[in-house]
Amino acid sequence: MGDVDWSALEHNYGDASDVPGLLRACASPDAGTASDALADLTNKLYHQGGWVCSAAPAALPSLTDLVSDRAVHHRREVVELIRLLAGEAVTAAEKWVAPGWQRALDDARPRLLALLDDADPRVRRETTLLAAEGIRHPESELALRRRWERETDRTTRADLVLALGTVQTWAPTEALRAELVALLEDDDLHLRLAAVHALARSEPAIAASQVGMLVRAVLDPDAVLWLDSAWIGGTSATLVHTTGGLLASDPVADSVFAVGVARHGEADRRVAGLGHAQQVLSRWRTAVEGIRSLLGRGLDDDVPEVRYRAAALLACLGTEAAPYAEQLAARTADSALRDSRVRTTVGDAAVWALARQGHPDCRSGLVERLSGDRLGFDTVLAHYGREVPMLVQPAICEVLIPLREYSDVLIGPLAARRDLASNLCRVVAAWGPAAAVALPALLDAAAQDKLRPLAAKAIGAIGPAAAAAARTLRDSAAEPAVAWALWRTGADPDLGLHSLTRQLTQPRPGHVAIALSADLGSEAAACVDALRALTRSTEDWTRTEAAHALWRVTGDPAGAVTVLTELAEPLARGECLPAGIAALRYLADIGVVDGRVRAVAQAIADNPRRIACNGGWRTFSEDEQIRAAASALMD
């Protein structure tokens, strides 16, 4: 290390002068000191990946020394750091890989591959990953094959199979494939499972033909051997999700796997099976029938987390869960807490499921929660990516907004909750005049700068009955929602009209102001040129709202339909952005269906996959919105 000018090198947090000290600390005889140093070093050399920093090749010889010394603590984790860096060098563009990395790795290769014969099986397993993914060289395949011939540890043998499956992706041969295929008939059920994982890396369709075996393997008592795998380590749920992921392209096999695991497994596997069922339902709208009965049975499971997940997934399915309304109603009083840091009960999920159906039995449960000391729903709007399999309660406003027909029962308890002011505003904005009794609470919310736009929109939605409340907001007429409320309630229509239309002539007006201006109709005629120009914006939301407003103001759908169709067309390919959903809904409102629009609607209707931007329960609600709009366009 002394021959390196570390200050001239860099890592993720600046110059690399601190790397030698960290490398020395990694060799400390004190395990805690070594662990802290390695964690710091890993963060600085790798962080979240994306590049291989210039300090990495300089550190590799010392990292190799560390992992080759059996007196060093945390050697498996050192191999993991080397593997992360080597893997990044394989996948990152050349410009993001330090010039000396490949030479340093070539120099270290013999010593690193020798770790496949290490006395510690954890080191051997981690090295199978390093050899297969990070050291893509003929010597890696030879070393892995040699180790396979003499390895006796079952977990390590399974990891070696997965490693050889990865080798088959970058150095494919018929001989290696034949050896992996032969393992599908092995007496060891878990080597058969490993062979499916290995082959699926280059032949994804092979997993569906083995679905029965996959179910048996993840439920088998010996599946505990995978807990220590470098490739699929973690918990029993990790094995379920990773194995189920091999079936992602086949909805039938995907469903069979989820049902098989959730129906027959021990408690932890039943929970994991329902977790996979969520992923299946999130991927495929055609998979509902096979899984729905599983969810019905799950409502009576003896494990609270199983009951919660069953009820929550039925909530995600909305009206498709109607056959289980009676069971759900019986579960609304289930006070058992789910396995989560948030105090959520099975009954909370059951109430949500009934609300998603618009079932009248949801009313008492919602009133009880709104009036009690534990809400059972979130208070903020949360969004997750499609790749994040979250299953949590939505915000209370998102539950209530579709329930306008029950406003007479629900608005009072909601308005009484001062801690739910933002939720109240959103609900009233959707319910309009039916929620007029909430005006005093809305005025309190409007007194807060942060909540004023939401409160103004709610006040405006109530209409003329809220004129007195809107007048109190005159001083904030520059806020688009306030201007709209002044116009819509009749509190000061001239001021509201002037303030709102003025927004449209400003550079880069917000899409919220554009959306509100659509309500003005022909009164915003002076803004037609501005709206037309905004339909050519580079921002999707601006174009969407401007096209809709242009139609509402002029009554002429021609230009609007062209813009909205262009924005909605990615949905026909299963690609989704929020503005695209809005564009499709606006096309359904306009109702002008040409060949291009009909093609978009038909492609959506024919797509067996869910189309959505967000993960969790939003996947289902967004897919519903998209399909409802497409259906309206095809009527």
Side-chain angles (χ1 to χ4, degrees):
M1 289 189 293
D3 295 333
V4 177
D5 181 5
W6 291 97
S7 64
L9 304 176
E10 64 176 336
H11 52 49
N12 282 286
Y13 293 88
D15 80 72
S17 302
D18 55 349
V19 169
L22 289 172
L23 286 166
R24 292 187 184 96
C26 287
S28 171
D30 180 75
T33 299
S35 177
D36 291 344
L38 182 57
D40 194 5
L41 184 65
T42 299
N43 191 38
K44 287 175 176 173
L45 293 182
Y46 179 75
H47 188 52
Q48 296 178 347
W51 71 317
V52 177
C53 62
S54 58
L60 184 58
S62 297
L63 290 172
T64 306
D65 286 344
L66 284 169
V67 78
S68 300
D69 184 347
R70 295 183 182 178
V72 168
H73 296 290
H74 316 298
R75 293 169 60 236
R76 185 204 68 77
E77 290 81 359
V78 177
V79 179
E80 181 183 22
L81 171 55
I82 298 172
R83 187 259 301 174
L84 290 170
L85 293 168
E88 206 63 43
V90 170
T91 58
E94 184 178 353
K95 66 179 180 178
W96 297 115
V97 179
W101 173 260
Q102 190 57 53
R103 183 175 64 254
L105 185 63
D106 288 341
D107 291 344
R109 184 172 62 244
R111 296 177 70 195
L112 293 176
L113 292 179
L115 296 171
L116 289 169
D117 296 322
D118 195 87
D120 187 342
R122 297 172 302 165
V123 171
R124 298 201 301 274
R125 294 169 199 150
E126 194 66 39
T127 305
T128 66
L129 265 173
L130 169 61
E133 292 189 337
I135 309 177
R136 299 193 172 190
H137 190 278
E139 290 180 10
S140 294
E141 179 180 358
L142 291 174
L144 289 165
R145 284 179 171 279
R146 284 196 299 268
R147 187 65 221 173
W148 169 253
E149 293 299 324
R150 55 180 178 269
E151 183 60 65
T152 57
D153 178 78
R154 286 183 74 194
T155 301
T156 310
R157 283 179 66 77
D159 277 359
L160 283 162
V161 174
L162 269 69
L164 290 169
T166 297
V167 169
Q168 181 69 2
T169 66
W170 51 263
T173 64
E174 279 302 315
L176 179 53
R177 181 184 182 279
E179 292 177 56
L180 293 172
V181 169
L183 287 175
L184 294 175
E185 305 298 328
D186 198 272
D187 291 339
D188 187 329
L189 179 61
H190 293 282
L191 284 184
R192 291 163 66 186
L193 174 59
V196 174
H197 276 273
L199 287 163
R201 292 175 181 270
S202 51
E203 302 174 48
I206 201 165
S209 66
Q210 301 288 326
V211 65
M213 183 273 288
L214 298 180
V215 172
R216 291 196 303 277
V218 300
L219 296 180
D220 183 68
D222 281 357
V224 294
L225 71 86
W226 289 99
L227 301 183
D228 295 321
S229 163
W231 292 78
I232 314 177
T235 66
S236 57
T238 309
L239 180 61
V240 170
H241 296 320
T242 307
T243 303
L246 302 178
L247 303 163
S249 62
D250 189 317
V252 175
D254 219 3
S255 298
V256 168
F257 179 82
V259 172
V261 174
R263 181 183 292 176
H264 301 297
E266 297 296 326
D268 59 343
R269 288 170 177 80
R270 294 202 302 279
V271 171
L274 284 177
H276 186 67
Q278 177 189 349
Q279 296 186 40
V280 178
L281 293 172
S282 297
R283 283 193 284 264
W284 302 100
R285 66 181 182 86
T286 55
V288 171
E289 191 58 41
I291 293 178
R292 192 167 52 185
S293 59
L294 169 71
L295 303 180
R297 286 193 298 273
L299 291 174
D300 295 323
D301 197 274
D302 58 352
V303 176
E305 181 65 13
V306 172
R307 297 200 302 277
Y308 174 84
R309 286 176 178 262
L313 286 175
L314 288 170
C316 290
L317 293 178
T319 57
E320 292 183 276
Y324 299 96
E326 187 174 336
Q327 271 184 276
L328 288 164
R331 281 290 165 205
T332 57
D334 189 335
S335 60
L337 291 168
R338 70 169 301 196
D339 184 13
S340 169
R341 289 174 296 176
V342 180
R343 293 184 67 247
T344 306
T345 69
V346 177
D348 298 334
V351 171
W352 173 30
L354 291 172
R356 280 273 288 152
Q357 297 177 31
H359 196 284
D361 283 355
C362 73
R363 292 174 296 182
S364 59
L366 288 169
V367 169
E368 177 185 343
R369 284 158 177 78
L370 287 168
S371 305
D373 57 1
R374 196 190 59 80
L375 185 61
F377 294 94
D378 207 338
T379 58
V380 296
L381 282 66
H383 295 75
Y384 308 97
R386 288 292 300 273
E387 72 284 355
V388 181
M390 296 292 290
L391 189 60
V392 295
Q393 299 290 97
I396 186 64
C397 62
E398 296 171 303
V399 178
L400 296 176
I401 283 172
L403 301 176
R404 183 185 300 176
E405 63 180 310
Y406 305 136
S407 60
D408 58 330
V409 175
L410 299 172
I411 191 60
L414 176 62
R417 294 283 298 260
R418 292 297 187 262
D419 59 324
L420 297 178
S422 64
N423 284 266
L424 172 68
C425 293
R426 290 187 170 93
V427 172
V428 177
W431 286 0
V437 297
L439 269 173
L442 295 177
L443 281 171
D444 289 345
Q448 303 178 47
D449 292 345
K450 185 177 180 180
L451 291 179
R452 188 171 298 119
L454 284 176
K457 194 170 181 182
I459 290 168
I462 292 173
R471 285 190 197 98
T472 67
L473 305 178
R474 273 200 190 100
D475 291 345
S476 301
E479 164 60 46
V482 172
W484 175 77
L486 291 170
W487 173 82
R488 196 173 188 279
T489 62
D492 195 334
D494 292 337
L495 176 59
L497 177 64
H498 173 74
S499 297
L500 188 53
T501 54
R502 185 173 180 276
Q503 297 276 337
L504 303 185
T505 62
Q506 302 301 305
R508 299 173 63 87
H511 69 267
V512 172
I514 303 170
L516 292 170
S517 71
D519 261 8
L520 303 176
S522 60
E523 292 187 49
C527 299
V528 167
D529 289 343
L531 290 170
R532 190 169 283 117
L534 289 168
T535 64
R536 297 188 291 272
S537 169
T538 58
E539 298 176 353
D540 285 353
W541 267 119
T542 297
R543 295 184 69 208
T544 300
E545 299 298 355
H548 177 242
L550 185 63
W551 166 63
R552 292 281 299 275
V553 171
T554 65
D556 180 5
V561 167
T562 299
V563 174
L564 294 171
T565 303
E566 181 182 335
L567 289 159
E569 276 183 322
L571 296 171
R573 303 187 294 270
E575 302 166 10
C576 185
L577 289 173
I581 301 177
L584 189 71
R585 290 204 314 266
Y586 289 152
L587 284 171
D589 291 343
I590 294 172
V592 174
V593 183
D594 57 18
R596 192 176 169 195
V597 171
R598 184 172 293 278
V600 171
Q602 189 65 58
I604 290 169
D606 292 342
N607 191 341
R609 291 183 175 271
R610 301 273 182 195
I611 307 172
C613 312
N614 291 288
W617 69 271
R618 293 184 190 281
T619 296
F620 300 85
S621 63
E622 289 174 355
D623 186 63
E624 288 170 8
Q625 294 173 41
I626 292 166
R627 294 185 186 281
S631 178
L633 288 166
M634 295 172 64
D635 286 345

